[in-house]
Amino acid sequence: MKISVVRPRDLANSERARWRELQKADRALDNPFLSVEFAVAMDSLRDYVRVAVVEDGGRIVGFFPYERHGFGVGKPLGGFLTTCHGLIAEQGVKLDARALLRACRLNVYDFDHMVAGQPTFGPYESDVRPAPVMDFTAGFEAWLEQVRANSPKNLKTVRYKERKLGREQGELRFEWASADPGVLRTLLAWKSDQYRRTGRVDRFAQPWIVELTEQMHAERSTDFAGVLTMLYAGDVPVAGHFGLRTATTLVGWFPAYDTEFARYSPGIVHHLQMAEAAAGAGLHMVDMGKGGKEYKDWLKSGTLYVSEGRISRPSPAAAVHWMGRVPLNKARTIVLDRPSLYRAADRVLKGFGRVRTALQPDQTAKETSGAR
């Protein structure tokens, strides 16, 4: 096999069409983070984005998008922003993983949301984790029945809060695929506030991530698009979400809500309405991604699997990288596997967020008021 490395922007139209063809041919690759449009958008904003083009007998059989950082450290495309990565290839294609790294000029490659079971990367998987999905292939009502079976009490409570929100704050209205950039700015302001309140790093403090989100919001093709949804009470936005979709799958990305309406659980109310709108738009699935959120177990009607692992070639850079990353990854896995530890860590982060907010009340108030 021949492996050549280029920037995604330099792929010819025929190569981009082949990428889409390969993606559509394998259901396991039906994820917008694996789409050529996402790779090209990332390349327009980051200089370290590359794609390995794999040929066999002069015919393209695969694409491997990745990031090449200093000292030959490889990362998945989009890194911490994405919930899926992998080799977009003909089913059954298996590459020598270390030869692939050598062709990509990488000493090490870490992955944590790889499509599980890919022949090239399967031998290097150290952990496989479930990613819950809302599956609408049998229709929205069938999915809702599964949600009811998962927890009748939760569904009853959310429907009660949904009616209460409409009664007390104004008639509810759900908007699917809003094109309004002002609505997107409102959602991102809520999300930034959530990151700060919960002690997380505010991703939208980085201008390139805001620009990426805006670029994705402008995408409107049949095979790939950004989908902005918003729930309104009267004329007031209360909860929303921005994600990416293929022709059949929407991936959860940035959900958020206005904390003034927290008593109504607007985020979950929004998710129920988003599910109905997604099914009505012809989508087969909403991929909620792996992670320790309890609402995902309640809303799920199916499961995908993603894996974690590491590939390296003998080098000083790979050894240094191992010392810095592997122990941390193992500690994170232990926390995720034990709900009591996960809840404790979450409380610590939220406490840190409250302290940080209290120390900067004027700035926080200014940012919040400017976002409304």
Side-chain angles (χ1 to χ4, degrees):
M1 291 190 182
K2 175 186 174 184
I3 301 175
S4 54
V5 175
V6 299
R7 297 192 67 156
R9 69 179 71 171
D10 295 328
L11 293 171
N13 288 336
S14 60
E15 292 170 320
R16 298 184 188 198
R18 177 57 173 159
W19 184 318
R20 297 185 187 100
E21 181 183 16
L22 291 172
Q23 187 180 13
K24 290 179 180 179
D26 187 347
R27 190 174 180 182
L29 302 177
D30 185 21
N31 187 295
F33 289 125
L34 301 178
S35 296
V36 64
E37 290 85 355
F38 184 73
V40 171
M42 281 291 301
D43 185 27
S44 72
L45 297 169
R46 303 281 88 182
D47 288 336
Y48 46 64
V49 174
R50 299 291 185 273
V51 58
V53 182
V54 184
E55 298 178 72
D56 188 6
R59 185 172 60 90
I60 294 177
V61 297
F63 297 89
F64 176 59
Y66 66 96
E67 297 178 5
R68 186 181 186 276
H69 295 264
F71 303 102
V73 172
K75 296 182 181 181
L77 182 65
F80 64 91
L81 283 175
T82 63
T83 61
C84 186
H85 38 260
L87 177 68
I88 298 88
E90 290 183 350
Q91 294 188 49
V93 165
K94 182 177 182 179
L95 307 178
D96 180 322
R98 290 195 171 94
L100 176 62
L101 261 61
R102 185 166 55 250
C104 295
R105 296 173 55 221
L106 299 177
N107 292 313
V108 62
Y109 179 74
D110 251 340
F111 56 89
D112 59 4
H113 288 81
M114 181 70 68
V115 176
Q118 289 200 323
T120 298
F121 299 104
Y124 300 92
E125 294 176 346
S126 59
D127 194 19
V128 176
R129 294 195 166 271
V133 302
M134 306 180 198
D135 187 342
F136 309 126
T137 51
F140 172 75
E141 291 300 329
W143 170 79
L144 192 61
E145 282 304 311
Q146 181 61 58
V147 171
R148 182 176 287 109
N150 291 345
S151 177
K153 181 179 179 181
N154 278 343
L155 183 59
K156 183 178 180 180
T157 299
V158 172
R159 288 305 195 196
Y160 167 77
K161 290 185 176 182
E162 182 180 47
R163 293 190 298 271
K164 184 178 177 66
L165 174 60
R167 185 170 62 251
E168 296 181 354
Q169 301 296 334
E171 183 178 357
L172 298 187
R173 173 172 62 88
F174 186 84
E175 184 176 17
W176 170 263
S178 170
D180 187 344
V183 174
L184 180 63
R185 286 193 295 270
T186 295
L187 177 69
L188 299 192
W190 290 343
K191 196 66 180 178
S192 286
D193 179 62
Q194 178 190 340
Y195 287 140
R196 292 191 294 266
R197 282 187 291 105
T198 57
R200 272 72 172 181
V201 174
D202 180 8
R203 296 176 180 180
F204 299 112
Q206 301 186 51
W208 77 267
I209 295 180
V210 175
E211 189 172 350
L212 173 66
T213 307
E214 291 171 346
Q215 284 190 29
M216 297 294 89
H217 183 223
E219 288 281 349
R220 292 286 186 276
S221 72
T222 301
D223 292 328
F224 182 91
V227 180
L228 174 61
T229 56
M230 185 62 73
L231 176 67
Y232 294 84
D235 294 326
V236 179
V238 296
H241 172 265
F242 179 70
L244 304 179
R245 68 154 179 82
T246 63
T248 56
T249 296
L250 173 67
V251 170
W253 205 7
F254 298 122
Y257 61 88
D258 189 333
T259 55
E260 290 185 10
F261 300 93
R263 63 187 180 278
Y264 301 105
S265 300
I268 299 298
V269 172
H270 168 275
H271 264 60
L272 287 177
Q273 297 212 10
M274 182 177 71
E276 185 171 10
L283 296 180
H284 299 170
M285 182 184 300
V286 173
D287 181 347
M288 294 183 284
K290 74 170 185 177
K293 299 295 185 181
E294 292 181 3
Y295 76 85
K296 295 180 181 181
D297 283 336
W298 172 52
L299 295 177
K300 76 175 183 180
S301 59
T303 304
L304 300 176
Y305 291 91
V306 293
S307 64
E308 302 177 7
R310 182 179 184 274
I311 311 168
S312 64
R313 298 190 299 132
S315 70
V320 171
H321 182 268
W322 184 92
M323 288 187 291
R325 292 290 299 167
V326 172
L328 176 64
N329 289 341
K330 288 183 177 180
R332 182 186 61 185
T333 297
I334 291 172
V335 171
L336 290 174
D337 280 341
R338 300 184 182 181
S340 60
L341 289 179
Y342 179 87
R343 289 192 294 270
D346 190 53
R347 285 195 299 271
V348 169
L349 286 172
K350 288 179 178 177
F352 173 73
R354 286 192 295 270
V355 170
R356 184 169 60 182
T357 300
L359 291 174
Q360 299 175 317
D362 294 338
Q363 179 66 20
T364 301
K366 180 178 179 182
E367 291 173 354
T368 303
S369 62
R372 297 293 167 82

